[in-house]
């Protein structure tokens, strides 16, 4: 694959990953996979870091998707949820999925730090440093929903950075 095509693929994947936080987790999974393919084509980061980041990111997205499906995050959903006979079990499973998603998101941020640092040093694009910081803090704050919005912004910055970056 051509380097320019890989950059565009990675940019589109990052945008899709960001949109998926609002449209649904399957879109984010597809976006993360496209971003992974682009990073592999650009030969950015060590293979183990890239692979583990992909596994952690997809696992976190699935866990957050499960938690969101169980818990809802709307007042109407919360009202109907409390009427369930097994509401304690539902709450426990939803909170466990959310906690697992948070731990996996922080693990993905740890792996992505090295990849984005390598990408910044190779391209000289400062957007990757900002995306790195936002992804890290967004992952740490993902225990509350605002962190996921910060992670989405980090994905947008990664996409813009990949599209405008000059490879050397």
């Amino acid at each position: 694959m051509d380097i320019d095509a890989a950059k565009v693929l990675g940019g589109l994947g990052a945008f899709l990953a960001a949109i998926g936080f609002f449209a649904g987790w399957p879109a984010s999974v597809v976006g993360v996979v496209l971003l992974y393919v682009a990073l592999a084509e650009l030969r950015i980061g060590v293979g183990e870091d890239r692979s583990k980041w992909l596994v952690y990111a997809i696992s976190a997205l699935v866990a957050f998707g499960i938690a969101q499906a169980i818990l809802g995050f709307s007042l109407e959903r919360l009202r109907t949820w409390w009427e369930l006979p097994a509401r304690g079990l539902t709450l426990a499973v939803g909170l466990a999925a959310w906690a697992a998603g948070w731990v996996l998101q922080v693990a993905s941020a740890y792996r992505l730090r090295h990849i984005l640092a390598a990408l910044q040093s190779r391209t000289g694009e400062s957007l990757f440093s900002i995306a790195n910081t936002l992804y890290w803090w967004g992952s740490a704050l993902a225990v509350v929903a605002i962190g996921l919005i910060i992670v989405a912004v980090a994905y947008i910055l990664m996409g813009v950075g990949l599209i405008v970056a000059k490879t050397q």
Side-chain angles (χ1 to χ4, degrees):
M1 180 183 303
D2 185 24
I3 290 177
D4 291 329
K7 288 181 357 182
V8 170
L9 181 70
L12 291 175
F15 293 144
L16 188 58
I19 290 169
F21 280 100
F22 307 104
W25 65 270
S28 286
V29 170
V30 171
V32 166
V33 169
L34 290 176
L35 182 59
Y36 171 80
V37 169
L39 291 173
E41 283 296 320
L42 294 172
R43 291 173 176 69
I44 301 296
V46 180
E48 182 178 320
D49 275 343
R50 264 197 325 258
S51 299
K52 286 188 178 181
W53 165 74
L54 178 69
V55 170
Y56 290 146
I58 289 175
S59 300
L61 290 168
V62 170
F64 283 133
I66 290 170
Q68 197 267 339
I70 291 173
L71 297 176
F73 301 121
S74 71
L75 293 177
E76 180 61 29
R77 176 79 179 209
L78 191 61
R79 184 189 64 76
T80 58
W81 171 76
W82 278 108
E83 295 172 357
L84 292 174
R87 63 180 171 250
L89 178 63
T90 305
L91 177 64
V93 171
L95 291 178
W98 190 266
W102 177 63
V103 168
L104 291 165
Q105 183 65 38
V106 170
S108 78
Y110 176 74
R111 292 295 179 178
L112 190 62
R113 288 178 68 90
H114 305 294
I115 296 168
L116 289 177
L119 195 55
Q120 181 193 8
S121 68
R122 182 171 173 190
T123 62
E125 184 61 50
S126 63
L127 284 175
F128 296 120
S129 175
I130 298 167
N132 196 354
T133 303
L134 286 177
Y135 195 86
W136 179 255
W137 283 106
S139 296
L141 292 173
V143 73
V144 291
I146 192 72
L148 297 178
I149 295 170
I150 296 171
V151 170
V153 171
Y155 275 124
I156 291 170
L157 289 177
M158 281 184 241
V160 171
L162 277 168
I163 290 174
V164 302
K166 306 283 188 254
T167 54
Q168 300 170 356

